[in-house]
Amino acid sequence: MDLATIPLIDQHAHNILQPEVAAQYPYAAAFTESYYPEIIHHHAHHTLFYRRSLRDIAALLNCEAEETTILARRESLGLEALTQIYFQAANLEAIYLDDGLQPETILPLSWHERFISVRRILRLEQLAEQLISQSPDFATFLDRFNSEIDPPPSGVVAFKSIACYRSGLHIQPVTPEVAATHFEQLKQFSTQPLRLTDKPLIDFLLQQALLVAAKYRLPVQLHTGYGDPDLDLRFANPLYLRHLLESPQYRHAPIVLLHASYPYMQEAGYLASVYPQVYVDFGLAIPFLSISGMREAIRQLLELTPTTKLMYASDAHSIPELYYLGAKWGRQLLKEVLEQAVIDSDITIAEAEAIAIAILRENALSLYQSVH
Ligand SMILES: [Zn+2]
């Protein structure tokens, strides 16, 4: 099986950093989820992911696999040429970008559109933070929030929530009265810039957005599983979503569990196998894990997940390398897992080929198609 010729839809990634901002961080900072200086300076260079990636990058840039040599080569090529090289080597057809991650430091969507077809993912908590600061009272805020998302702005193919980071996936029903009280408290005590961490308010707003998503059949991407230490990994288990998944009013809102829910792959696969609205991707787990870890993540997801519900993503951010590394290892390990399934006699080789195309592009195209 050769998956290199299948153009990818990367259904969840982030914008590349402005070069001036990227220059302030060590290169290895883009290869770790930690923001602690000790990790970034002393330990991030020593993961299996980083060691492997230096060789992958050097092979593509045609230089020695040493960080200093790679940095010099990057410098001489410049960000635009580098991006061109990596996007082309990744054989990407389109990327869907959540532009709500540190919005003041990233290059705009239009910059990426010079290289590739781009769609936008709207981050709900970031929108809420902007509007809370600008709104004198809860009624005004809620009105503005709803009118920003209903109808979804043109070019937006999905909503995204980082409730997992801010307060965990154990989302509970919240009445507008309770949400209003928490809004008032937040207005009174918050410092600028406002950072939304209030659980009842986050839960309330996500459920408002799910009603809109259900109305338009717009997918909602949820951060699940591991990430930076701002989240409590215990509450990143997608099994906590039971209340949302069981609520009939949200049933028509497709929910995409991001990041293979790592390390909760089997839990994510189970949810995708029983709830019609649940989909899963394997971004972040690929390319961040070791090779055997990545293989295991895809393998565990496929224990139960229908192959119509699993999607490729890189969760790439900050530097163009990550889009390529995700693509390279996503294709390679999907191929290995499917070939093993053929040997095991789960599927035929013809089925394996069709499944690969579905996971790398067609499932995303059909899920997001209705909103294009
Ligand atoms: Zn992401």
Side-chain angles (χ1 to χ4, degrees):
M1 255 192 337
D2 178 17
L3 309 190
T5 56
I6 305 169
L8 295 179
I9 305 293
D10 189 345
Q11 67 101 44
H12 177 90
H14 303 270
N15 304 41
I16 292 172
L17 279 178
Q18 296 162 12
E20 318 77 80
V21 177
Q24 298 165 15
Y25 296 99
Y27 191 49
F31 294 80
T32 172
E33 282 295 313
S34 183
Y35 40 60
Y36 291 106
E38 300 96 300
I39 298 282
I40 289 174
H41 292 286
H42 301 301
H43 301 291
H45 305 79
H46 300 288
T47 63
L48 303 192
F49 171 42
Y50 195 68
R51 307 317 307 170
R52 180 182 80 230
S53 296
L54 287 184
R55 291 192 306 280
D56 286 342
I57 291 164
L60 197 62
L61 300 184
N62 219 349
C63 66
E64 214 187 318
E66 293 294 335
E67 193 183 283
T68 46
T69 322
I70 289 171
L71 292 180
R73 187 93 177 96
R74 288 179 103 251
E75 187 72 29
S76 73
L77 283 163
L79 184 60
E80 304 204 352
L82 271 178
T83 304
Q84 192 84 50
I85 290 170
Y86 288 120
F87 280 11
Q88 205 154 26
N91 188 16
L92 293 167
E93 177 172 318
I95 50 178
Y96 300 174
L97 296 181
D98 163 11
D99 59 355
L101 177 67
Q102 299 172 318
E104 63 294 340
T105 64
I106 55 177
L107 291 161
L109 296 181
S110 57
W111 185 89
H112 301 75
E113 278 167 345
R114 288 154 46 190
F115 308 96
I116 189 133
S117 169
V118 176
R119 300 276 184 281
R120 180 170 175 238
I121 299 162
L122 186 156
R123 190 185 282 214
L124 296 165
E125 290 78 9
Q126 203 239 335
L127 173 67
E129 284 169 349
Q130 275 172 8
L131 297 176
I132 291 170
S133 302
Q134 298 160 6
S135 307
D137 54 63
F138 183 69
T140 315
F141 161 69
L142 191 54
D143 231 37
R144 289 178 180 167
F145 184 77
N146 282 328
S147 70
E148 289 283 340
I149 61 170
D150 185 4
S154 83
V156 166
V157 292
F159 295 150
K160 149 92 183 278
S161 169
I162 53 162
C164 182
Y165 267 104
R166 297 294 173 82
S167 49
L169 291 176
H170 47 315
I171 317 269
Q172 296 301 316
V174 178
T175 62
E177 294 71 30
V178 170
T181 311
H182 284 257
F183 175 92
E184 299 306 336
Q185 286 170 358
L186 188 62
K187 286 293 276 185
Q188 219 177 331
F189 299 113
S190 81
T191 50
Q192 289 300 322
L194 187 139
R195 187 176 141 84
L196 179 58
T197 55
D198 182 275
K199 180 166 163 46
L201 206 47
I202 289 171
D203 289 3
F204 176 80
L205 293 172
L206 174 56
Q207 290 172 89
Q208 288 290 114
L210 281 168
L211 290 175
V212 176
K215 179 167 145 192
Y216 294 95
R217 305 283 203 268
L218 188 81
V220 179
Q221 299 186 348
L222 296 183
H223 180 101
T224 65
Y226 93 131
D228 70 50
D230 190 28
L231 64 70
D232 185 334
L233 189 55
R234 293 171 300 173
F235 298 112
N237 184 332
L239 294 181
Y240 278 111
L241 294 169
R242 181 171 170 80
H243 160 70
L244 290 190
L245 300 177
E246 285 286 325
S247 300
Q249 67 271 37
Y250 311 135
R251 166 73 197 280
H252 295 296
I255 297 211
V256 183
L257 307 176
L258 298 173
H259 314 326
S261 301
Y262 180 85
Y264 306 109
M265 285 80 74
Q266 290 170 321
E267 287 83 344
Y270 165 72
L271 294 175
S273 76
V274 295
Y275 289 105
Q277 71 271 40
V278 173
Y279 295 77
V280 190
D281 87 4
F282 50 73
L284 188 58
I286 290 163
F288 267 64
L289 304 180
S290 68
I291 291 179
S292 70
M294 294 191 284
R295 187 187 295 118
E296 199 54 17
I298 298 184
R299 196 193 63 68
Q300 287 194 7
L301 285 170
L302 279 173
E303 286 175 9
L304 273 179
T305 308
T307 59
T308 39
K309 292 172 139 232
L310 181 60
M311 292 180 289
Y312 171 77
S314 64
D315 196 43
H317 60 86
S318 305
I319 57 169
E321 279 83 344
L322 296 173
Y323 302 82
Y324 166 67
L325 297 171
K328 172 177 173 168
W329 291 105
R331 281 196 182 88
Q332 174 64 27
L333 294 163
L334 179 62
K335 173 179 136 84
E336 289 180 22
V337 170
L338 292 176
E339 283 176 348
Q340 184 58 48
V342 171
I343 293 168
D344 293 346
S345 75
D346 279 325
I347 48 175
T348 66
I349 185 73
E351 285 169 332
E353 280 165 1
I355 289 169
I357 295 170
I359 292 174
L360 294 176
R361 54 181 285 110
E362 283 178 355
N363 290 343
L365 287 173
S366 59
L367 180 63
Y368 296 93
Q369 172 191 44
S370 48
V371 290
H372 277 191

